Amino acid sequence: EGPIDSLKTPADIPDEPSPLLNDFEWVTIDLNKEDEMKQVESLLYEHYVEDQDATFRFAYSSRFFEWALKPPGWRHEYHVGVRVRSTGKLVAFISGIPSLLRVRNNKVPSVEINFLCIHKKLRSKRLAPVLIKEITRRVNKNDIWQALYTSGAVLPTPVSTCRYTHRPLNWEKLYEVGFSSLPAGVTKSQMIAKYALPSSTKTPGLRKMVPEDAAQVLELYNKFQAKYDLVQEFTKDELVHWLCGPDTQRDLEDKDKVIVSYVVEQDGKITDFFSFYLLPFTVLNNSKYDRLNVAYLFYYATDAGLDGKDDAVLAKRLSSLIGDALVVTKNLKIDVFNALTSQDNTLFLKDLKFGNGDAFLNFYLFNYKAFPIKGGIDPETKELDPVSRSGVGVVML
Ligand SMILES: Cc1c(C(=O)c2nccn2C)oc2cccc(OCCCNCc3cccnc3)c12
C-alpha cells in the first residue's frame, strides 16, 4: 500500500494550467465574494447530479458551501472554475479541501475533491478530465500528492463501495413525490404507522453540542474511529468547524443550519455524540411539493463497546443514539434521513427501519494503492453486512 506515482516535487509541476478551448478561460473562484458564491450555487442548482429518473436535484446553498468549502486550511486556488471568455458566465466548477487521511496505519496528507459540475450544454466534451488535471496541478503545487473522492459512477478501482439507505420520516410526502412506493397489500396508513416515531428523545443527558465540547468529542471520535481503515483525522478547530458549523452559522436555529450535532453528557463526561447534515433536494415537476428536506448521517461515536468485544452492547447503544437522531430530524420537519453502509451503520440500519437504496457510492483514492476496504455490504449480494461491517470511517458530503 502507498503512493503509485514516482515521487515528485512542486518544482516538477507546470506553473500554468493546460490550455482550454479558445472560448473558455480558467478562473479561481473567490467564495468570499457573495456574487461568485451565488454563481457557484446557481451552476450546481441547475446542472449538478440528479437521480437517474431526474425527479430530484441537489439544492446546495451558499450557506452549505460556507461549511463544505471553507473548513480550516481552505485555499482559494482549490476552488476552480471555467468561464466563457466573452460573457464571464461560469460553466464548470471543481473543488478541493485539505484533509489528513489515515489509510490503515498510514497518515496521508491529501485533499477531498468534490462538486465537479459541468454545464449541461458542455457535457461529453472531455471537460471533466481537464478539470481534474487542473485541480491536481494546483494541489501538487502545494506538495500534496493524494486525493479522496466519491462517485456514483464506477471508475477504475474503488477502494470501497457503500450502499445508500433511507429512513422515511414523512412517508406520505415521500410517496407523493414518487420516492417511496406503496408495497402490494399494504395501506398508506400502515406505512405511515410503520415509520411513526416518538415526539421526544430518550437518551439521558442528550443536548446540542457546543464548541466547548470539542476536546472531549475529539478524544471520543479518535478512539471510536481507530477501528476503521479509511479515516479523516481532525484538529480541534477542524472538528469544531465540521460539527458546529462555520462561526457565521453558530446561532442559527437548528432547522436553518447545515450541520446539527448532539452530545450525551453524563456526570460532566461526554460519552456519545451524533451529527447529521441537512441538504435538500429540489423536487422537479411535482404539483404539491418543490423541495424534499433530507438529513444525512455524518459523524458519531460512543464509548459503549470501545473494548471492541461486545457488538451487541454497541449495536444496542447505537440504535438508541441514532434513534434519537431520527426523532430530532423528524421534529425539524425533515422528510427522509439518509445513511450509507459505512462506519458501524449496518449494526442499526435494519433495527431503525432504514430501507436499502438502489444506488451505491464508490470511494476512490488518487495516487494511492490500498487493498480494498469493506463497505458494509456483501460484495456479491450487495445486502447489508452487519457482521464484518465497514472499514470506512470518513463521510464525504
Ligand atoms: C445522494 C443520496 C440519496 C438520494 O439520491 C436521495 N435521497 C432521497 C431521495 N434521493 C434521490 O440517498 C442517499 C443515501 C445515502 C447517502 C447519499 O449520499 C451520500 C453523499 C453523496 N455525495 C454527493 C454525491 C451525489 C451523487 C453522486 N455522488 C456523490 C444519498
Side-chain angles (χ1 to χ4, degrees):
E1 295 199 328
I4 298 167
D5 299 344
S6 57
L7 260 189
K8 283 186 224 136
T9 69
D12 305 325
I13 303 299
D15 291 332
E16 292 306 315
S18 314
L20 282 171
L21 297 169
N22 243 359
D23 308 2
F24 303 111
E25 62 181 351
W26 290 113
V27 291
T28 293
I29 301 290
D30 182 350
L31 290 181
N32 284 340
K33 292 210 177 89
E34 198 178 331
D35 62 322
E36 297 200 33
M37 174 67 91
K38 219 99 202 86
Q39 288 161 23
V40 171
E41 183 188 73
S42 37
L43 176 72
L44 272 85
Y45 196 87
E46 310 280 328
H47 303 281
Y48 197 52
V49 184
E50 295 169 8
D51 61 312
Q52 45 272 43
D53 23 12
T55 318
F56 308 100
R57 192 187 302 140
F58 283 106
Y60 288 102
S61 63
S62 303
R63 189 172 284 172
F64 190 91
F65 290 130
E66 282 295 332
W67 178 63
L69 294 177
K70 296 164 83 171
W74 71 277
R75 291 172 172 276
H76 278 97
E77 63 205 276
Y78 292 171
H79 300 152
V80 183
V82 172
R83 289 190 191 281
V84 177
R85 211 179 280 280
S86 53
T87 62
K89 183 177 166 50
L90 185 66
V91 292
F93 180 74
I94 188 168
S95 70
I97 53 169
S99 172
L100 176 59
L101 294 180
R102 173 175 61 76
V103 184
R104 291 194 173 86
N105 300 326
N106 304 312
K107 296 260 166 99
V108 185
S110 59
V111 288
E112 289 178 10
I113 300 298
N114 207 341
F115 308 116
L116 165 60
C117 182
I118 294 170
H119 194 287
K120 285 180 186 228
K121 291 213 177 71
L122 290 174
R123 299 286 165 89
S124 58
K125 286 184 179 316
R126 309 291 301 150
L127 201 47
V130 174
L131 279 159
I132 292 167
K133 188 169 174 228
E134 173 56 9
I135 197 158
T136 304
R137 184 190 68 81
R138 293 176 180 217
V139 166
N140 289 165
K141 269 301 190 200
N142 287 293
D143 206 16
I144 296 291
W145 306 92
Q146 272 74 39
L148 173 69
Y149 56 101
T150 58
S151 173
V154 182
L155 309 162
T157 10
V159 67
S160 191
T161 299
C162 295
R163 185 167 187 169
Y164 283 9
T165 73
H166 320 278
R167 206 292 181 182
L169 300 172
N170 180 347
W171 183 86
E172 182 144 33
K173 180 173 174 184
L174 294 177
Y175 177 69
E176 289 181 311
V177 299
F179 179 67
S180 295
S181 53
L182 188 57
V186 183
T187 64
K188 281 170 66 174
S189 51
Q190 283 170 321
M191 290 305 278
I192 292 165
K194 173 181 176 183
Y195 293 115
L197 286 165
S199 54
S200 54
T201 57
K202 63 182 175 194
T203 307
L206 184 70
R207 65 165 170 81
K208 289 180 191 172
M209 179 179 171
V210 291
E212 294 67 33
D213 298 324
Q216 283 201 68
V217 170
L218 181 56
E219 188 187 352
L220 186 57
Y221 171 84
N222 289 334
K223 282 184 188 156
F224 188 75
Q225 291 254 331
K227 71 179 91 161
Y228 302 126
D229 297 325
L230 178 60
V231 166
Q232 184 174 10
E233 303 224 328
F234 293 127
T235 62
K236 195 150 79 76
D237 287 352
E238 287 170 332
L239 186 99
V240 170
H241 175 84
W242 288 114
L243 294 185
C244 301
D247 304 11
T248 50
Q249 299 177 14
R250 281 290 145 69
D251 34 22
L252 287 173
E253 286 179 49
D254 274 9
K255 67 174 180 53
D256 299 323
K257 284 177 179 270
V258 295
I259 175 71
V260 174
S261 298
Y262 278 72
V263 297
V264 177
E265 178 181 344
Q266 290 167 333
D267 315 321
K269 195 171 173 323
I270 290 177
T271 57
D272 315 70
F273 80 92
F274 65 73
S275 58
F276 52 83
Y277 63 91
L278 300 174
L279 171 62
F281 275 107
T282 304
V283 181
L284 308 169
N285 41 41
N286 178 280
S287 50
K288 187 173 175 186
Y289 299 104
D290 59 9
R291 182 190 174 97
L292 191 66
N293 297 312
V294 186
Y296 292 80
L297 183 60
F298 197 49
Y299 290 109
Y300 61 85
T302 178
D303 67 3
L306 265 188
D307 53 16
K309 290 190 192 53
D310 192 346
D311 269 4
V313 167
L314 177 61
K316 187 166 177 296
R317 181 69 182 178
L318 290 178
S319 289
S320 165
L321 189 68
I322 307 303
D324 274 352
L326 296 179
V327 170
V328 168
T329 47
K330 168 104 185 184
N331 293 343
L332 292 175
K333 305 281 174 274
I334 301 303
D335 302 316
V336 58
F337 193 104
N338 283 343
L340 288 168
T341 54
S342 54
Q343 299 158 293
D344 285 353
N345 299 356
T346 56
L347 288 180
F348 55 78
L349 290 172
K350 227 174 207 50
D351 181 50
L352 293 180
K353 298 178 184 160
F354 283 75
N356 290 350
D358 49 17
F360 296 85
L361 195 62
N362 302 300
F363 288 76
Y364 299 94
L365 284 170
F366 181 87
N367 186 24
Y368 197 86
K369 185 167 170 31
F371 298 115
I373 294 170
K374 294 187 297 293
I377 50 175
D378 178 294
E380 267 69 57
T381 66
K382 313 287 186 203
E383 287 304 311
L384 268 49
D385 182 352
V387 177
S388 65
R389 295 181 354 222
S390 165
V392 176
V394 64
V395 180
M396 290 279 284
L397 305 179

